[in-house]
Amino acid sequence: MTSHIDAGAELDPVHPVPLPVPPARPRGLSQAEVAERLARGEVNDVPVRSSRSLADILRANVLTRFNAIIGVLWLIMLFVAPIQDSLFGFVILANTGIGILQEWRAKQTLDSLAVIGESRPTVRRDDTAVEIATSEIVLDDVIEVGPGDKIAVDGVCVEADGLEIDESLLTGEADPVVKRPGDQVMSGSFVVAGGGAFQAARVGREAYAARLAEEASRFTLVHSELRTGISTILKYVTWMMVPTAVGLVISQLVVKNSDLKDSVARTVGGIVPMVPEGLVLLTSVAFAIGVIRLGRKQCLVQELPAIEGLARVDTVCLDKTGTLTEGGMDVTELRTLDGHDESYVRRVLGALGESDPRPNASLQAIIDACPASEEWRCVESLPFSSARKYSGASFSEGNGESSTWLLGAPDVLLPAGAPA
């Protein structure tokens, strides 16, 4: 939204904008009360899983059909033959190591990004506002919020200064919801206008967003036709190995009169070539090379088969909002109405920016372009609301004069049909 100021739009004293009387400010919990709730386990201890756990990575790369077949044959060979006859088993270590190493590196990168991007809500402790991690919020904490802040836990609104919350992720309704003291706020929503504070009523796994995330979060492996094809080959090879092994053992024991150990070793030596070890290892190496090349292009791959999936893509759909652009604005020009002094209007704009402790993107652009004057002092303020489409403030200008100004859309502040 483009913000405009009407340089002659002082409030009509006959119809002033009613400013609500703020209620008593909640002081927040004391350190003793926080420690008591921590001891009871009433803390927002929802584990944040930005990636697979190490156990899941090990399980996915170790417990495979290929490793089972070669692993069994390798163990048998270690018991009945010299170590040099068991070198084929090291293919397992190479193949498994490539997958584990790459996915572990991807996990570390994702976890570090999650820590960097983690929001730090502002809570009141002993009547002092402090920033803490989301996992350190306890029951009954008073949490301050402003434009763009996420609601981390469920709670009840205790302060509202034009507070509007977007609950579209929870309800599907795109219209912001005005919150007043006593109204319920839900985790998973975020503030779009105004400011305020709420008291945490449900934390941890009891919060609404945590329950939704727990029900919806399921990790699905990337479908790989190469791995599926190799798995199918290994399945048929497994069935063919059983009669082949029986025939080889019988031929070694009966026809050639070999002892049991020598017969088993020769049998394993005849079965191992049936397993396409080179194909499996070559596939993993090809995937790993692709991961390295993508890494040089600043692309993170969580699973090796994702390379194959990317190679099969023929259409890419992009949403540029917030990815190719920045969520900020710049003031490029100031046009005054009715010949008002531009320097005075800039002082007004600077004072309006100083009056809002949580400016939105439009007001932040005005703050950057018009610094505040030390002589102007804010007496009262009305925060911006998308329902009103304007904000306002009353000032003492330092020379004994006072004035009240509105900042908002011209179609709202100016009369219908105005030339501006």
Side-chain angles (χ1 to χ4, degrees), residues 273 320 324:
K320 77 170 186 65
L324 302 181

Side-chain angles (χ1 to χ4, degrees), residues 1 147-148 192 320-331 359-366 368:
M1 187 195 77
V192 293
K320 77 170 186 65
T321 305
T323 53
L324 302 181
T325 58
E326 295 181 356
M329 300 181 184
D330 293 314
V331 175
N360 56 21
S362 301
L363 191 55
Q364 185 60 51
I366 294 175
D368 296 336

Side-chain angles (χ1 to χ4, degrees), residues 188-268:
S189 55
F190 61 93
V191 180
V192 293
F198 69 96
Q199 189 170 29
R202 286 188 294 272
V203 297
R205 291 174 173 83
E206 295 182 0
Y208 184 74
R211 296 201 306 269
L212 283 181
E214 189 173 354
E215 294 174 1
S217 60
R218 288 181 177 86
F219 184 85
T220 304
L221 288 172
V222 174
H223 175 70
S224 169
E225 294 189 16
L226 284 176
R227 283 194 169 181
T228 301
I230 293 174
S231 180
T232 303
I233 293 174
L234 292 175
K235 181 172 67 174
Y236 289 122
V237 166
T238 304
W239 290 107
M240 294 169 60
M241 286 170 56
V242 176
T244 303
V246 172
L248 287 174
V249 169
I250 292 175
S251 66
Q252 294 297 320
L253 290 175
V254 177
V255 178
K256 295 195 175 184
N257 295 320
S258 302
D259 59 10
L260 181 60
K261 280 192 173 183
D262 190 47
S263 299
V264 172
R266 291 175 181 272
T267 300
V268 173

Side-chain angles (χ1 to χ4, degrees), residues 30 41 87 91 144 187 194 253 260 316-317 319 353 357 399 413:
S30 65
L87 296 180
V91 176
E144 297 180 354
S187 54
L253 290 175
L260 181 60
V316 178
C317 300
D319 177 9
N399 55 3
L413 297 182

Side-chain angles (χ1 to χ4, degrees), residues 339-351:
H340 284 269
D341 181 28
E342 181 175 334
S343 61
Y344 180 73
V345 174
R346 286 188 178 275
R347 289 198 296 272
V348 174
L349 289 171

